[in-house]
Amino acid sequence: MSNAGVIFRREFAAYFNSPIAYIFIIVFLVLNCGLFMTPFFLAQLADMRDFFGNLPLFLIFFIPAVSMRLWAEDKRSGTFELLMTLPMKSSEVMLGKYFAAMAFYVVALLGTLPIPIMLAMLGNPDLGAVFGGYLGALLLGGLYMAVGIFTSGLLRDQISAFILGMLACFALFLVGVPAVSATIDGWIGGFGSFLQNAFGLMPHYQALQRGVLELGDLAYFLGLTAVFLVLNAVWLEGRKY
C-alpha cells in the first residue's frame, strides 16, 4: 500500500496547489454554516439536526465538484497513460486518489467543528446525535466520492464528469425519499419500496443522524462505496490492455 501512499500525497498536495481548493472549502463552510445559523437563533435549540439534514442535498453538488478531476484531468493532460504504466496496481492508484479526495473533504468538514463547540457552550446538545451526524456525513461523503471517482473515470471532460456524478448521487438520494418511493409504487406495485430498501440512502443516513448506530446502516454505506470502488478498479484494469 506504499504505492497508494505516494499517489495520496501527490493528489492531496495537488488540491492545495490551486486557489480552487480554498474557494471550495470557503463556499462549503459559508453555505452550510450560513444555512444552519440563519434560523438557529430563532429556534433556540442546541442541536445540529438542521445542519446534518441539509448535507445530503448539498453534497450532491460539492462532492462531484471535488471528484470530477480525479481521472478526467489525467485524461485531458495525457498523464493517464503514464499512471497506468507505473509499476503499481491500478487499484493502488485508484485508492490513493480516492483517499486524497476524502482527506480534502474531511478538512472541509473539520471546519464546521466550531458549531458543536458553540452549542456545548450555549446549551446541552445530544452529543450522541452530534457524533452520529458527523459519522453519517463522513460515510455519505465517502459514498458520493466513490460514485464521483467512478463517473470521472468514464469521461474525459471534467464538466461532463461533474454532471454525471451529480445525477448518480441525486438518484441514490431520490430513491430513498418516501414520497418518491410511494409514487413509483403507484406506477409499479412494490418497485419503489424495493428501490428504497435496496439503494435509497436517506433511511440509513437519517438513522445515523439521530445517533442510532446499526450494523445495517454501516454495511449499506461501506458496501455500496466498495461496489463503486471495485467497478472503478475493474474499469482501470480494462484500460491497461
Side-chain angles (χ1 to χ4, degrees):
M1 295 301 288
S2 60
N3 291 330
V6 172
I7 299 297
F8 172 87
R9 288 190 290 274
R10 168 185 176 269
E11 292 292 328
F12 188 64
Y15 278 109
F16 294 95
N17 287 335
S18 162
I20 293 176
Y22 302 98
I23 294 172
F24 274 170
I25 291 176
I26 291 171
V27 169
F28 178 84
L29 294 177
V30 168
L31 289 181
N32 273 298
C33 297
L35 287 172
F36 172 71
M37 293 304 297
T38 301
F40 170 75
F41 291 106
L42 295 176
Q44 296 185 343
L45 292 174
D47 67 51
M48 295 181 68
R49 281 179 296 181
D50 289 343
F51 174 82
F52 293 118
N54 293 330
L55 277 183
L57 268 177
F58 184 78
L59 292 182
I60 286 174
F61 302 95
F62 181 77
I63 295 292
V66 172
S67 65
M68 65 182 183
R69 58 171 290 279
L70 288 172
W71 291 118
E73 174 64 17
D74 286 321
K75 289 181 178 178
R76 187 195 63 79
S77 62
T79 55
F80 178 77
E81 290 76 10
L82 175 63
L83 281 172
M84 291 298 100
T85 57
L86 291 175
M88 59 179 71
K89 297 177 181 176
S90 303
S91 57
E92 292 176 327
V93 180
M94 182 270 294
L95 287 176
K97 283 176 171 285
Y98 174 76
F99 284 116
M102 280 301 296
F104 176 75
Y105 168 59
V106 169
V107 169
L109 202 58
L110 287 175
T112 67
L113 285 182
I115 293 178
I117 294 173
M118 178 193 71
L119 294 181
M121 295 173 65
L122 293 177
N124 186 27
D126 182 348
L127 295 181
V130 172
F131 172 78
Y134 272 105
L135 179 61
L138 186 63
L139 293 171
L140 177 68
L143 173 56
Y144 281 177
M145 198 70 77
V147 173
I149 193 173
F150 173 67
T151 57
S152 177
L154 299 177
L155 300 164
R156 182 180 295 271
D157 178 62
Q158 292 192 33
I159 301 301
S160 301
F162 168 73
I163 294 172
L164 183 60
M166 188 178 64
L167 291 175
C169 293
F170 186 62
L172 288 174
F173 168 80
L174 207 58
V175 296
V177 176
V180 175
S181 171
T183 302
I184 298 175
D185 276 342
W187 298 335
I188 306 173
F191 188 57
S193 300
F194 166 74
L195 290 177
Q196 184 183 27
N197 293 330
F199 302 107
L201 64 84
M202 285 309 292
H204 304 285
Y205 177 76
Q206 286 170 338
L208 292 170
Q209 191 183 343
R210 293 192 298 271
V212 178
L213 296 182
E214 291 190 355
L215 188 60
D217 299 321
L218 300 177
Y220 166 82
F221 281 107
L222 295 176
L224 209 51
T225 297
V227 166
F228 280 102
L229 292 180
V230 168
L231 286 175
N232 192 217
V234 170
W235 174 86
L236 289 173
E237 283 298 321
R239 302 285 81 72
K240 273 190 166 182
Y241 306 104

